[in-house]
Each structure stands twice: as C-alpha cells, then as structure tokens.
C-alpha cells in the first residue's frame, strides 16, 4: 500500500534523485529504506520499491532504474522475473527523459495501481465475509446438531426407562403366575397322594377285618 503523496523522482544536472514524503510504508533502494524528505541519488541498476511486501511477498511496486540515450522515451519492461522462487510482479524501468517524473498519487499509474489494490481489497473483504458467514452457518449447524443429539439421547433414555419398568412389571406378573401355577400343581399332587393313602387305608382295614373274621370263625368251630 502506498500513500496518497508517497514520493517524487526528479532529475537535475544529469542526476536522478528520489525523495520520500514521509510515507507510511516508505521507499526502499536495493532493499534499504531511505530517510524521508532527503533526496537520494539513484544509480543505474538500483531497484526502487514502494511499500512493503506481506507474508514474504514482493513489494506492490518495484522499479529498476536505468539510463538510456537522450531522445529516447521512457520505456517499460513487460517481462516477468522471479525472486527466490516466488512469482514477482511486472517491474517497470525508469529512463531519463529530461524532466521530473512525479510518483505522487496524481500520477495515472498510481491511480491505476490504487484502483487495482482497492479492487483486490474489496474482493478479499467479500471473500472474508463469505467465509465468516459460512463459518457462522457451520457453527449454527453444529449447535443445532448437538441439541438434536441431546434431545434424541433424552428420548432414548426415557424410552429405555419405560421399557425397563414394563419389563420389571411383566417379570413380576410372570413370577406371580408361575407361583400360582406351582401352588395348584402342588395342591393337586398333595390331593392325589391323600386319595391314594385313603384308598390304601381302606384296603388295609378290609384285609384286617377279613382276617379278624376268619380267626373268629376258626375259634368258634374249635
């Protein structure tokens, strides 16, 4: 990002100078930031950068100063170079034109660069807002899912408790029925045994009575 009135490039007596107007992100010559409000003489091959790079990226604007013969217009290098394996933006070349070359916010190239930067910022802002909205939607979905799971667990717990009570009641009923059935079976067995004993008793009494009568008859005859 550059300031509205960032710096000025001037030429006097064949010497090109650049002055930083106390900009926020400064002016860098070959990677070193120059002092503000002090004209700095530029030499052929100097790399002039405006602003600072973000996350190890190159500066937003970077130029290579070169001298060309008189009468030739200022040209721009349209090739792409690379620095430390990363993609670097197009670098323009400042050439001697015999007059002052302003680098303030009034320069068309600066206006264009600011417009491009603002467009990028707006796109990033929109993208960030969309991501934040998406994140918020995901959080709401997770919260709703958690609530649904909790409600489902409570329902399952209540259902299991009801089934447990029903099972206990069914077991008690079954146990009571089994007891009644067992009691009836024992009563029937007891009655059967009782009837059998009574029948045996009557048989024994008949046998004893017959034996007694036989002995009485024998005694009477003798």
């Amino acid at each position: 990002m550059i300031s509205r009135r960032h710096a000025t490039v001037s030429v006097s007596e064949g010497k090109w100078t650049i002055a930083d107007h106390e900009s926020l992100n400064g002016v860098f010559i070959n990677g070193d930031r120059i002092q503000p409000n002090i004209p700095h003489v530029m030499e052929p091959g100097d790399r002039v950068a405006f602003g600072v790079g973000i996350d190890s990226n190159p500066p937003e604007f970077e130029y290579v100063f070169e001298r060309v013969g008189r009468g030739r217009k200022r040209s721009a290098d349209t090739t792409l170079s690379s620095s430390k394996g990363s993609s670097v933006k197009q670098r323009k070349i400042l050439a001697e034109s015999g007059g002052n070359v302003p680098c303030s916010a009034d320069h068309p190239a600066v206006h264009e660069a600011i417009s491009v930067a603002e467009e990028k910022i707006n796109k990033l802002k929109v993208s960030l807002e969309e991501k934040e909205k998406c994140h918020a939607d995901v959080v709401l979905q997770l919260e709703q899912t958690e609530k649904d799971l909790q409600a489902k667990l409570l329902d399952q717990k209540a259902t299991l408790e009801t089934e447990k009570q029903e099972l206990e009641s069914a077991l008690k009923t079954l146990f009571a029925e089994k007891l009644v059935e067992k009691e009836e079976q024992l009563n029937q067995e007891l009655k059967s045994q009782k009837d059998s004993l009574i029948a045996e008793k009557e048989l024994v009494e008949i046998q004893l009575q017959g034996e007694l009568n036989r002995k009485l008859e024998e005694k009477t005859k003798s």
Side-chain angles (χ1 to χ4, degrees), residues 64-167:
V64 178
F65 177 74
E66 292 183 359
R67 290 184 182 275
V68 296
R70 291 188 177 277
R72 294 180 60 184
K73 295 183 179 180
R74 191 166 64 114
S75 61
D77 181 7
T78 58
T79 60
L80 292 177
S81 60
S82 62
S83 175
K84 297 182 180 179
S86 62
S87 177
V88 182
K89 295 185 177 181
Q90 178 178 330
R91 310 303 184 194
K92 296 181 179 179
I93 301 177
L94 295 179
E96 184 175 6
S97 61
N100 291 342
V101 182
C103 290
S104 65
D106 297 331
H107 195 279
V110 175
H111 278 293
E112 182 180 358
I114 292 176
S115 299
V116 172
E118 289 177 347
E119 184 178 357
K120 289 181 179 180
I121 291 173
N122 290 332
K123 289 182 179 180
L124 288 174
K125 184 178 179 180
V126 171
S127 177
L128 180 61
E129 290 176 352
E130 291 177 352
K131 289 181 179 180
E132 289 179 347
K133 185 177 181 301
C134 181
H135 177 72
D137 292 341
V138 171
V139 171
L140 290 176
Q141 290 178 359
L142 289 175
E143 291 177 352
Q144 185 62 40
T145 302
E146 184 179 1
K147 291 180 180 179
D148 294 342
L149 288 175
Q150 290 179 351
K152 188 175 181 180
L153 288 174
L154 291 176
D155 292 341
Q156 290 180 350
K157 183 178 180 181
T159 301
L160 290 174
E161 186 66 25
T162 302
E163 292 178 353
K164 177 184 176 183
Q165 293 177 358
E166 292 176 353
L167 182 60

